[in-house]
Protein backbone atom coordinates (compact mmCIF):
# COMPACT_ATOMS: atom_id res chain seq x y z
CA UNK A 1 0.00 0.00 0.00
CA UNK A 2 1.51 3.31 -1.02
CA UNK A 3 0.11 5.03 2.05
CA UNK A 4 1.29 2.59 4.72
CA UNK A 5 4.00 4.99 5.92
CA UNK A 6 3.15 8.00 3.79
CA UNK A 7 3.46 11.60 4.85
CA UNK A 8 0.44 13.49 3.59
CA UNK A 9 0.69 17.26 3.47
CA UNK A 10 -2.50 19.15 4.24
CA UNK A 11 -3.13 22.11 1.97
CA UNK A 12 -5.72 24.64 2.99
CA UNK A 13 -6.31 25.91 -0.55
CA UNK A 14 -7.44 29.43 0.43
CA UNK A 15 -4.13 30.01 2.15
CA UNK A 16 -1.43 28.14 0.25
CA UNK A 17 -0.64 30.17 -2.87
CA UNK A 18 -2.63 32.72 -4.82
CA UNK A 19 -1.89 32.78 -8.56
CA UNK A 20 -4.26 35.52 -9.76
CA UNK A 21 -3.88 38.32 -7.23
CA UNK A 22 -7.37 38.11 -5.72
CA UNK A 23 -5.87 37.42 -2.28
CA UNK A 24 -7.25 33.88 -2.06
CA UNK A 25 -5.19 30.78 -2.80
CA UNK A 26 -6.11 28.61 -5.78
CA UNK A 27 -5.31 25.40 -7.68
CA UNK A 28 -2.89 27.07 -10.11
CA UNK A 29 -1.07 28.44 -7.08
CA UNK A 30 -0.78 24.96 -5.59
CA UNK A 31 0.60 23.72 -8.90
CA UNK A 32 3.25 26.47 -8.81
CA UNK A 33 4.41 25.31 -5.39
CA UNK A 34 4.55 21.57 -6.01
CA UNK A 35 8.33 21.63 -6.19
CA UNK A 36 8.40 22.65 -2.54
CA UNK A 37 6.47 19.52 -1.63
CA UNK A 38 8.59 17.27 -3.83
CA UNK A 39 11.76 18.79 -2.34
CA UNK A 40 10.41 18.31 1.18
CA UNK A 41 9.79 14.66 0.38
CA UNK A 42 6.11 14.16 1.18
CA UNK A 43 4.16 11.44 -0.61
CA UNK A 44 0.82 13.10 -1.14
CA UNK A 45 -1.19 16.24 -0.61
CA UNK A 46 -4.65 16.49 0.83
CA UNK A 47 -6.69 19.47 -0.28
CA UNK A 48 -9.30 20.79 2.10
CA UNK A 49 -12.54 21.27 0.09
CA UNK A 50 -12.31 22.89 -3.34
CA UNK A 51 -15.96 22.45 -4.36
CA UNK A 52 -18.39 25.27 -5.17
CA UNK A 53 -19.59 26.60 -1.87
CA UNK A 54 -21.10 29.71 -0.29
CA UNK A 55 -18.12 29.36 2.09
CA UNK A 56 -19.97 29.67 5.38
CA UNK A 57 -17.67 26.88 6.54
CA UNK A 58 -15.05 27.45 3.82
CA UNK A 59 -16.04 24.63 1.54
CA UNK A 60 -17.27 22.20 4.19
CA UNK A 61 -20.66 23.50 3.05
CA UNK A 62 -20.65 21.93 -0.41
CA UNK A 63 -23.03 23.28 -3.06
CA UNK A 64 -21.91 20.90 -5.84
CA UNK A 65 -19.83 17.79 -5.26
CA UNK A 66 -18.66 17.56 -8.86
CA UNK A 67 -17.08 20.91 -9.65
CA UNK A 68 -14.46 23.38 -8.46
CA UNK A 69 -15.37 26.70 -6.85
CA UNK A 70 -14.39 29.55 -9.22
CA UNK A 71 -12.31 31.12 -6.45
CA UNK A 72 -10.03 28.07 -6.66
CA UNK A 73 -10.17 27.65 -10.46
CA UNK A 74 -11.85 25.14 -12.73
CA UNK A 75 -12.01 21.39 -13.23
CA UNK A 76 -9.28 21.71 -15.85
CA UNK A 77 -7.01 23.23 -13.17
CA UNK A 78 -7.62 20.20 -11.00
CA UNK A 79 -6.67 17.93 -13.90
CA UNK A 80 -3.49 19.94 -14.45
CA UNK A 81 -2.66 19.78 -10.77
CA UNK A 82 -3.06 16.01 -10.64
CA UNK A 83 -0.87 15.59 -13.72
CA UNK A 84 1.81 17.96 -12.39
CA UNK A 85 1.75 16.21 -9.02
CA UNK A 86 2.05 12.83 -10.67
CA UNK A 87 5.14 14.00 -12.59
CA UNK A 88 6.73 14.67 -9.21
CA UNK A 89 5.61 11.37 -7.71
CA UNK A 90 2.96 13.05 -5.55
CA UNK A 91 -0.59 11.83 -5.09
CA UNK A 92 -3.59 14.09 -4.54
CA UNK A 93 -6.27 13.40 -1.94
CA UNK A 94 -9.49 15.35 -1.69
CA UNK A 95 -11.68 16.14 1.27
CA UNK A 96 -15.16 14.71 0.92
CA UNK A 97 -18.04 15.93 3.04
CA UNK A 98 -20.71 13.23 3.05
CA UNK A 99 -22.55 14.13 6.26
CA UNK A 100 -24.09 17.39 5.08
CA UNK A 101 -24.46 19.74 2.12
CA UNK A 102 -24.81 23.47 1.95
CA UNK A 103 -28.42 24.60 2.19
CA UNK A 104 -27.64 26.24 -1.16
CA UNK A 105 -27.03 22.85 -2.81
CA UNK A 106 -29.82 22.31 -5.30
CA UNK A 107 -30.56 18.99 -3.59
CA UNK A 108 -31.88 20.89 -0.57
CA UNK A 109 -34.50 22.60 -2.74
CA UNK A 110 -35.22 19.81 -5.15
CA UNK A 111 -35.02 16.83 -2.79
CA UNK A 112 -35.89 17.94 0.73
CA UNK A 113 -36.57 14.28 1.53
CA UNK A 114 -32.83 13.61 1.13
CA UNK A 115 -32.32 15.44 4.43
CA UNK A 116 -33.29 14.81 8.05
CA UNK A 117 -36.39 16.60 9.31
CA UNK A 118 -38.42 16.66 12.52
CA UNK A 119 -41.69 18.26 13.58
CA UNK A 120 -40.10 19.31 16.86
CA UNK A 121 -36.40 19.60 17.74
CA UNK A 122 -34.86 17.08 20.16
CA UNK A 123 -31.92 17.86 22.48
CA UNK A 124 -29.12 17.30 19.94
CA UNK A 125 -26.65 20.13 19.74
CA UNK A 126 -24.55 21.41 16.86
CA UNK A 127 -20.77 21.04 16.96
CA UNK A 128 -20.44 24.82 17.14
CA UNK A 129 -22.95 25.27 19.97
CA UNK A 130 -26.71 25.69 20.21
CA UNK A 131 -29.43 23.46 18.88
CA UNK A 132 -28.78 21.28 15.86
CA UNK A 133 -32.22 22.13 14.41
CA UNK A 134 -33.42 25.07 12.33
CA UNK A 135 -37.03 25.76 11.41
CA UNK A 136 -37.95 25.99 7.76
CA UNK A 137 -41.47 25.97 6.34
CA UNK A 138 -42.95 24.76 9.64
CA UNK A 139 -40.54 21.85 10.16
CA UNK A 140 -37.00 21.55 11.45
CA UNK A 141 -33.97 20.31 9.53
CA UNK A 142 -30.97 18.81 11.25
CA UNK A 143 -27.52 20.39 11.06
CA UNK A 144 -24.76 18.75 13.05
CA UNK A 145 -22.60 21.81 12.27
CA UNK A 146 -23.61 25.32 11.09
CA UNK A 147 -27.28 25.94 10.17
CA UNK A 148 -25.99 26.46 6.60
CA UNK A 149 -24.98 22.75 6.56
CA UNK A 150 -28.03 20.47 6.41
CA UNK A 151 -27.48 16.80 7.30
CA UNK A 152 -28.15 14.27 4.56
CA UNK A 153 -30.22 11.17 5.24
CA UNK A 154 -27.95 8.26 4.36
CA UNK A 155 -30.82 5.81 4.90
CA UNK A 156 -32.37 7.19 1.72
CA UNK A 157 -31.04 5.08 -1.21
CA UNK A 158 -31.18 8.12 -3.53
CA UNK A 159 -28.73 9.94 -1.27
CA UNK A 160 -26.42 6.94 -1.27
CA UNK A 161 -26.50 6.75 -5.07
CA UNK A 162 -25.89 10.48 -5.52
CA UNK A 163 -23.00 10.46 -3.07
CA UNK A 164 -21.48 7.34 -4.61
CA UNK A 165 -21.52 9.21 -7.89
CA UNK A 166 -19.66 12.12 -6.26
CA UNK A 167 -17.11 9.79 -4.66
CA UNK A 168 -16.46 8.12 -8.03
CA UNK A 169 -16.16 11.40 -9.93
CA UNK A 170 -12.84 12.52 -8.43
CA UNK A 171 -11.30 9.06 -8.29
CA UNK A 172 -11.95 8.80 -12.02
CA UNK A 173 -10.26 12.20 -12.41
CA UNK A 174 -7.14 10.97 -10.69
CA UNK A 175 -7.62 11.56 -6.97
CA UNK A 176 -5.86 8.87 -4.90
CA UNK A 177 -8.45 8.94 -2.14
CA UNK A 178 -10.23 11.06 0.41
CA UNK A 179 -10.11 12.46 3.85
CA UNK A 180 -13.70 11.78 4.88
CA UNK A 181 -15.20 14.61 6.89
CA UNK A 182 -17.14 14.17 10.14
CA UNK A 183 -17.87 10.55 9.42
CA UNK A 184 -18.99 9.71 12.98
CA UNK A 185 -21.94 12.04 12.29
CA UNK A 186 -22.98 10.24 9.12
CA UNK A 187 -25.69 8.12 10.71
CA UNK A 188 -27.93 9.08 13.60
CA UNK A 189 -30.74 7.40 15.49
CA UNK A 190 -33.62 6.97 13.00
CA UNK A 191 -36.11 7.66 15.81
CA UNK A 192 -34.27 10.90 16.67
CA UNK A 193 -34.30 10.09 20.37
CA UNK A 194 -32.86 12.61 22.85
CA UNK A 195 -29.26 12.03 23.84
CA UNK A 196 -29.31 10.77 27.45
CA UNK A 197 -27.18 12.34 30.17
CA UNK A 198 -23.55 11.25 30.16
CA UNK A 199 -22.50 8.64 32.70
CA UNK A 200 -18.86 8.45 31.63
CA UNK A 201 -16.42 10.78 29.87
CA UNK A 202 -16.60 10.87 26.07
CA UNK A 203 -12.85 10.33 25.70
CA UNK A 204 -12.07 13.42 23.61
CA UNK A 205 -12.56 17.12 24.37
CA UNK A 206 -16.11 18.39 23.90
CA UNK A 207 -17.85 21.68 24.56
CA UNK A 208 -19.14 21.92 28.12
CA UNK A 209 -22.81 21.53 27.19
CA UNK A 210 -22.06 18.64 24.82
CA UNK A 211 -20.02 16.83 27.47
CA UNK A 212 -23.12 16.60 29.69
CA UNK A 213 -24.79 14.30 27.18
CA UNK A 214 -23.86 10.74 26.26
CA UNK A 215 -24.17 11.56 22.52
CA UNK A 216 -25.58 8.09 22.00
CA UNK A 217 -28.19 8.95 19.43
CA UNK A 218 -26.95 12.08 17.68
CA UNK A 219 -24.05 10.26 15.99
CA UNK A 220 -22.26 6.95 15.55
CA UNK A 221 -25.44 4.91 14.90
CA UNK A 222 -25.02 1.12 14.91
CA UNK A 223 -25.71 0.84 11.18
CA UNK A 224 -22.99 3.32 10.14
CA UNK A 225 -21.06 0.43 8.61
CA UNK A 226 -23.74 -0.08 5.97
CA UNK A 227 -23.23 3.44 4.64
CA UNK A 228 -19.46 3.12 4.85
CA UNK A 229 -19.65 -0.07 2.79
CA UNK A 230 -21.41 1.92 0.05
CA UNK A 231 -18.65 4.51 0.16
CA UNK A 232 -16.00 1.80 -0.12
CA UNK A 233 -17.93 0.25 -3.01
CA UNK A 234 -17.73 3.58 -4.88
CA UNK A 235 -14.01 4.19 -4.46
CA UNK A 236 -12.50 0.72 -4.85
CA UNK A 237 -9.15 0.55 -3.12
CA UNK A 238 -8.53 4.32 -2.97
CA UNK A 239 -7.32 5.58 0.41
CA UNK A 240 -10.06 6.60 2.85
CA UNK A 241 -8.96 8.40 6.00
CA UNK A 242 -11.82 9.04 8.38
CA UNK A 243 -12.26 12.08 10.51
CA UNK A 244 -13.85 10.00 13.26
CA UNK A 245 -14.25 12.12 16.34
CA UNK A 246 -14.29 9.16 18.69
CA UNK A 247 -11.65 7.60 20.95
CA UNK A 248 -9.69 4.87 19.21
CA UNK A 249 -11.46 2.15 21.23
CA UNK A 250 -14.53 2.92 19.10
CA UNK A 251 -12.86 2.92 15.68
CA UNK A 252 -13.35 -0.68 14.63
CA UNK A 253 -16.74 -0.48 12.91
CA UNK A 254 -15.31 2.39 10.84
CA UNK A 255 -12.06 0.62 10.06
CA UNK A 256 -13.99 -2.33 8.66
CA UNK A 257 -14.45 -0.03 5.66
CA UNK A 258 -12.06 2.92 5.94
CA UNK A 259 -8.28 2.55 5.86
CA UNK A 260 -7.27 4.92 8.61
CA UNK A 261 -8.65 7.17 11.33
CA UNK A 262 -7.17 10.41 12.62
CA UNK A 263 -5.65 9.83 16.04
CA UNK A 264 -7.43 12.56 17.97
CA UNK A 265 -6.35 11.27 21.39
CA UNK A 266 -2.78 12.19 20.54
CA UNK A 267 -3.75 15.43 18.78
CA UNK A 268 -5.48 16.57 21.97
CA UNK A 269 -2.84 15.33 24.41
CA UNK A 270 -1.04 18.14 26.22
CA UNK A 271 2.77 18.23 25.97
CA UNK A 272 3.15 16.00 28.99
CA UNK A 273 5.13 12.76 28.72
CA UNK A 274 2.58 10.60 30.54
CA UNK A 275 -0.37 11.94 28.56
CA UNK A 276 1.47 11.62 25.26
CA UNK A 277 2.55 8.13 26.18
CA UNK A 278 -0.91 6.93 27.13
CA UNK A 279 -2.44 8.46 23.99
CA UNK A 280 0.14 6.69 21.83
CA UNK A 281 -0.33 3.46 23.75
CA UNK A 282 -4.12 3.52 23.43
CA UNK A 283 -4.08 4.46 19.78
CA UNK A 284 -1.33 2.18 18.58
CA UNK A 285 -2.60 -0.91 20.40
CA UNK A 286 -4.77 -1.51 17.34
CA UNK A 287 -4.00 -0.80 13.69
CA UNK A 288 -5.61 2.13 11.96
CA UNK A 289 -4.07 5.38 13.21
CA UNK A 290 -3.31 8.27 10.90
CA UNK A 291 -1.17 10.59 13.01
CA UNK A 292 -1.91 14.30 13.08
CA UNK A 293 -0.96 17.03 15.55
CA UNK A 294 -2.32 20.13 13.86
CA UNK A 295 -4.82 21.22 11.24
CA UNK A 296 -7.19 23.98 10.20
CA UNK A 297 -9.52 23.24 13.14
CA UNK A 298 -7.17 22.97 16.09
CA UNK A 299 -4.14 25.12 15.31
CA UNK A 300 -0.46 24.74 14.71
CA UNK A 301 2.46 22.99 16.40
CA UNK A 302 4.21 26.18 17.53
CA UNK A 303 1.14 27.58 19.24
CA UNK A 304 -0.27 24.31 20.56
CA UNK A 305 2.90 23.01 22.16
CA UNK A 306 4.98 26.20 22.47
CA UNK A 307 7.74 27.37 20.13
CA UNK A 308 10.29 25.53 22.28
CA UNK A 309 8.54 22.19 21.66
CA UNK A 310 7.52 22.57 18.01
CA UNK A 311 10.57 20.76 16.67
CA UNK A 312 10.07 17.86 19.04
CA UNK A 313 6.39 17.75 18.08
CA UNK A 314 7.44 17.40 14.44
CA UNK A 315 9.86 14.65 15.49
CA UNK A 316 7.06 12.84 17.29
CA UNK A 317 4.56 13.21 14.44
CA UNK A 318 7.01 11.95 11.85
CA UNK A 319 8.48 8.98 13.72
CA UNK A 320 5.33 7.13 14.76
CA UNK A 321 4.56 4.11 12.58
CA UNK A 322 1.92 4.61 9.89
CA UNK A 323 0.72 7.55 7.81
CA UNK A 324 1.21 11.06 9.18
CA UNK A 325 -0.51 14.30 8.21
CA UNK A 326 1.55 17.48 8.18
CA UNK A 327 -0.32 20.79 8.09
CA UNK A 328 0.99 23.44 5.68
CA UNK A 329 3.24 25.91 7.47
CA UNK A 330 4.20 23.54 10.26
CA UNK A 331 7.34 22.66 8.34
CA UNK A 332 8.60 26.22 8.87
CA UNK A 333 7.23 26.62 12.38
CA UNK A 334 4.47 29.04 11.43
CA UNK A 335 2.44 30.11 14.47
CA UNK A 336 -1.30 30.69 14.68
CA UNK A 337 -2.17 34.28 13.83
CA UNK A 338 -4.50 36.84 15.32
CA UNK A 339 -7.16 36.47 12.60
CA UNK A 340 -8.08 39.48 10.51
CA UNK A 341 -10.21 42.57 10.89
CA UNK A 342 -13.11 40.72 9.38
CA UNK A 343 -14.24 37.53 11.12
CA UNK A 344 -14.80 34.76 8.58
CA UNK A 345 -15.26 31.68 10.76
CA UNK A 346 -17.86 32.14 13.49
CA UNK A 347 -16.29 29.30 15.45
CA UNK A 348 -13.06 31.28 15.80
CA UNK A 349 -10.79 29.22 13.55
CA UNK A 350 -9.47 32.02 11.30
CA UNK A 351 -6.31 32.16 13.39
CA UNK A 352 -5.29 28.66 12.26
CA UNK A 353 -5.70 29.57 8.60
CA UNK A 354 -3.34 32.47 7.87
CA UNK A 355 -1.47 32.24 4.55
CA UNK A 356 1.63 30.21 3.90
CA UNK A 357 4.84 32.28 4.09
CA UNK A 358 7.16 31.62 1.18
CA UNK A 359 9.53 34.57 1.45
CA UNK A 360 10.25 37.59 3.61
CA UNK A 361 8.26 40.12 1.58
CA UNK A 362 5.23 41.78 3.24
CA UNK A 363 2.83 39.33 1.55
CA UNK A 364 5.11 36.39 2.30
CA UNK A 365 5.03 35.63 -1.42
CA UNK A 366 1.48 34.32 -0.99
CA UNK A 367 -0.26 36.84 -3.22
CA UNK A 368 0.39 39.86 -5.42
CA UNK A 369 -2.85 41.35 -4.07
CA UNK A 370 -4.19 41.72 -0.57
CA UNK A 371 -4.36 38.44 1.32
CA UNK A 372 -7.81 37.46 2.63
CA UNK A 373 -6.17 37.05 6.05
CA UNK A 374 -2.93 38.92 6.69
CA UNK A 375 0.29 36.95 6.89
CA UNK A 376 1.53 36.37 10.45
CA UNK A 377 5.28 37.14 10.36
CA UNK A 378 6.80 36.56 6.91
CA UNK A 379 9.95 38.53 7.69
CA UNK A 380 10.63 36.17 10.63
CA UNK A 381 9.38 32.85 9.32
CA UNK A 382 9.46 31.85 5.67
CA UNK A 383 10.45 29.01 3.37
CA UNK A 384 13.12 30.91 1.47
CA UNK A 385 15.11 31.89 4.56
CA UNK A 386 15.02 28.36 5.97
CA UNK A 387 15.62 26.50 2.74
CA UNK A 388 19.40 26.30 2.79
CA UNK A 389 19.91 26.61 6.52
CA UNK A 390 20.73 23.16 7.90
CA UNK A 391 19.64 24.27 11.39
CA UNK A 392 16.18 25.45 10.33
CA UNK A 393 12.90 23.78 11.19
CA UNK A 394 12.37 23.24 7.48
CA UNK A 395 15.63 21.29 7.21
CA UNK A 396 14.70 19.29 10.29
CA UNK A 397 11.35 18.31 8.78
CA UNK A 398 13.01 17.39 5.50
CA UNK A 399 15.60 15.28 7.32
CA UNK A 400 12.84 13.60 9.32
CA UNK A 401 11.10 12.66 6.10
CA UNK A 402 14.26 10.87 5.00
CA UNK A 403 15.02 9.25 8.33
CA UNK A 404 11.49 7.96 8.89
CA UNK A 405 11.92 5.66 5.91
CA UNK A 406 14.77 3.92 7.71
CA UNK A 407 12.87 3.25 10.92
CA UNK A 408 11.92 -0.33 11.65
CA UNK A 409 8.40 -1.72 11.95
CA UNK A 410 6.32 -1.58 15.08
CA UNK A 411 6.60 0.64 18.10
CA UNK A 412 7.82 -0.13 21.59
CA UNK A 413 7.46 2.53 24.26
CA UNK A 414 10.50 2.44 26.52
CA UNK A 415 11.42 3.87 29.90
CA UNK A 416 13.72 6.87 29.83
CA UNK A 417 14.64 9.77 32.10
CA UNK A 418 12.02 11.86 33.94
CA UNK A 419 9.86 13.83 31.56
CA UNK A 420 11.29 11.98 28.58
CA UNK A 421 9.04 10.24 26.07
CA UNK A 422 10.96 7.43 24.37
CA UNK A 423 10.22 4.60 21.99
CA UNK A 424 11.94 2.14 19.75
CA UNK A 425 11.27 1.49 16.07
CA UNK A 426 13.35 -1.58 15.20
CA UNK A 427 16.99 -0.73 15.79
CA UNK A 428 16.25 2.99 16.10
CA UNK A 429 15.36 4.73 19.35
CA UNK A 430 13.62 8.09 19.62
CA UNK A 431 13.64 10.25 22.76
CA UNK A 432 11.96 13.57 23.47
CA UNK A 433 12.64 15.70 26.52
CA UNK A 434 9.38 17.47 27.33
CA UNK A 435 10.86 19.44 30.24
CA UNK A 436 12.76 22.74 30.51
CA UNK A 437 15.68 20.92 32.23
CA UNK A 438 18.42 18.73 30.84
CA UNK A 439 17.46 15.08 31.20
CA UNK A 440 19.31 11.81 30.86
CA UNK A 441 17.87 9.82 27.96
CA UNK A 442 18.44 6.19 27.11
CA UNK A 443 19.65 6.53 23.53
CA UNK A 444 22.29 4.00 22.62
CA UNK A 445 24.29 3.62 19.44
CA UNK A 446 24.92 6.29 16.84
CA UNK A 447 23.16 9.61 16.81
CA UNK A 448 21.05 9.82 13.63
CA UNK A 449 19.23 13.10 14.08
CA UNK A 450 18.68 15.78 16.70
CA UNK A 451 16.13 18.57 16.82
CA UNK A 452 18.94 21.15 17.16
CA UNK A 453 22.70 20.87 16.83
CA UNK A 454 24.08 19.70 20.17
CA UNK A 455 20.65 18.67 21.49
CA UNK A 456 21.95 15.27 22.62
CA UNK A 457 25.34 14.79 24.08
CA UNK A 458 26.90 12.33 26.53
CA UNK A 459 23.61 10.62 27.26
CA UNK A 460 21.79 13.86 28.07
CA UNK A 461 19.03 15.62 26.13
CA UNK A 462 18.92 19.42 26.20
CA UNK A 463 15.67 21.08 27.45
CA UNK A 464 12.75 20.51 25.06
CA UNK A 465 15.00 18.63 22.64
CA UNK A 466 14.61 15.34 20.85
CA UNK A 467 16.91 12.92 19.08
CA UNK A 468 17.04 9.64 17.18
CA UNK A 469 19.78 7.05 17.56
CA UNK A 470 20.54 3.75 15.88
CA UNK A 471 21.87 0.77 17.80
C1 LIG B 1 -14.52 18.97 10.11
C2 LIG B 1 -13.76 20.00 9.33
O1 LIG B 1 -12.39 19.78 9.50
C3 LIG B 1 -14.22 21.33 9.85
O2 LIG B 1 -13.41 22.38 9.36
C4 LIG B 1 -15.67 21.52 9.50
O3 LIG B 1 -16.14 22.71 10.08
C5 LIG B 1 -16.53 20.35 10.01
N1 LIG B 1 -15.93 19.07 9.81
C6 LIG B 1 -17.89 20.34 9.34
O4 LIG B 1 -17.79 19.88 8.02
Amino acid sequence: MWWADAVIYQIYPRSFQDSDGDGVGDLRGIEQRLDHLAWLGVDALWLSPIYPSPMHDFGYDVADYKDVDPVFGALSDFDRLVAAARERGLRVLLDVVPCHTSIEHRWFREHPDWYIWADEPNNWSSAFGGTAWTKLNGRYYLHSFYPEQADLDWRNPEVVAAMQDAFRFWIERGAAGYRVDAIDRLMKDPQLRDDPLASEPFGLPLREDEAKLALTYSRNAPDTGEALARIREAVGDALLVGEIYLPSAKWQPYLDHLDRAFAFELLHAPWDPERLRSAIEATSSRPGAAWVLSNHDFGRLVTRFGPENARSAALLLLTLPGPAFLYQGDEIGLADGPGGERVYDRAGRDRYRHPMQWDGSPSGGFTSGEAWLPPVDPEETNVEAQHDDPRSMLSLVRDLLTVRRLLGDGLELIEAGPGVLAYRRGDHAIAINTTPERQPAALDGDLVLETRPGAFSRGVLAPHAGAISRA
Side-chain angles (χ1 to χ4, degrees), residues 2 7-9 11 30-31 33-45 81-93 174 176 405:
W2 69 267
V7 175
I8 300 166
Y9 185 96
I11 291 183
I30 298 171
E31 187 186 333
R33 294 293 188 185
L34 284 178
D35 286 336
H36 170 69
L37 303 182
W39 173 85
L40 193 59
V42 303
D43 302 281
L45 35 136
L81 176 63
V82 170
R86 198 171 277 156
E87 274 170 28
R88 291 163 178 81
L90 298 167
R91 291 179 163 86
V92 178
L93 302 181
R405 300 188 196 283

Side-chain angles (χ1 to χ4, degrees), residues 40-248:
L40 193 59
V42 303
D43 302 281
L45 35 136
W46 148 39
L47 308 179
S48 283
I50 57 169
Y51 318 108
S53 164
M55 304 286 172
H56 293 292
D57 192 11
F58 281 145
Y60 288 98
D61 46 334
V62 180
D64 180 354
Y65 286 96
K66 301 202 295 185
D67 206 347
V68 171
D69 193 281
V71 81
F72 298 129
L75 274 175
S76 56
D77 296 318
F78 177 77
D79 297 339
R80 281 177 51 145
L81 176 63
V82 170
R86 198 171 277 156
E87 274 170 28
R88 291 163 178 81
L90 298 167
R91 291 179 163 86
V92 178
L93 302 181
L94 287 182
D95 201 324
V96 72
V97 190
C99 167
H100 45 262
T101 74
S102 162
I103 54 172
E104 291 178 41
H105 197 300
R106 63 178 176 78
W107 295 350
F108 196 59
R109 291 188 304 277
E110 293 171 11
H111 304 284
D113 55 316
W114 288 15
Y115 296 80
I116 298 175
W117 297 84
D119 293 331
E120 288 301 329
N122 61 14
N123 74 348
W124 298 356
S125 67
S126 115
F128 302 126
T131 173
W133 298 92
T134 288
K135 196 167 190 178
L136 184 69
N137 302 330
R139 298 175 71 209
Y140 293 83
Y141 67 87
L142 178 66
H143 48 85
S144 294
F145 295 88
Y146 287 127
E148 292 89 345
Q149 294 163 297
D151 281 28
L152 285 163
D153 178 5
W154 272 76
R155 293 193 185 88
N156 181 332
E158 288 175 7
V159 168
V160 175
M163 284 304 304
Q164 280 189 317
D165 185 39
F167 270 95
R168 259 184 240 114
F169 181 82
W170 298 97
I171 300 296
E172 284 165 7
R173 281 198 110 92
Y178 295 101
R179 175 263 194 193
V180 195
D181 186 73
I183 196 71
D184 52 296
R185 303 272 197 149
L186 194 66
M187 305 286 274
K188 301 94 183 167
D189 180 37
Q191 297 170 49
L192 307 178
R193 282 171 282 186
D194 276 347
D195 275 331
L197 288 175
S199 56
E200 55 184 42
F202 181 69
L204 291 174
L206 292 173
R207 281 196 339 274
E208 209 177 313
D209 54 325
E210 254 182 334
K212 291 187 185 138
L213 298 172
L215 308 176
T216 324
Y217 294 128
S218 55
R219 63 190 72 186
N220 193 24
D223 57 344
T224 302
E226 284 166 37
L228 298 178
R230 302 283 82 79
I231 293 178
R232 174 54 76 193
E233 186 177 87
V235 304
D237 60 3
L239 172 61
L240 293 175
V241 180
E243 190 207 18
I244 306 166
Y245 201 72
L246 292 171
S248 52

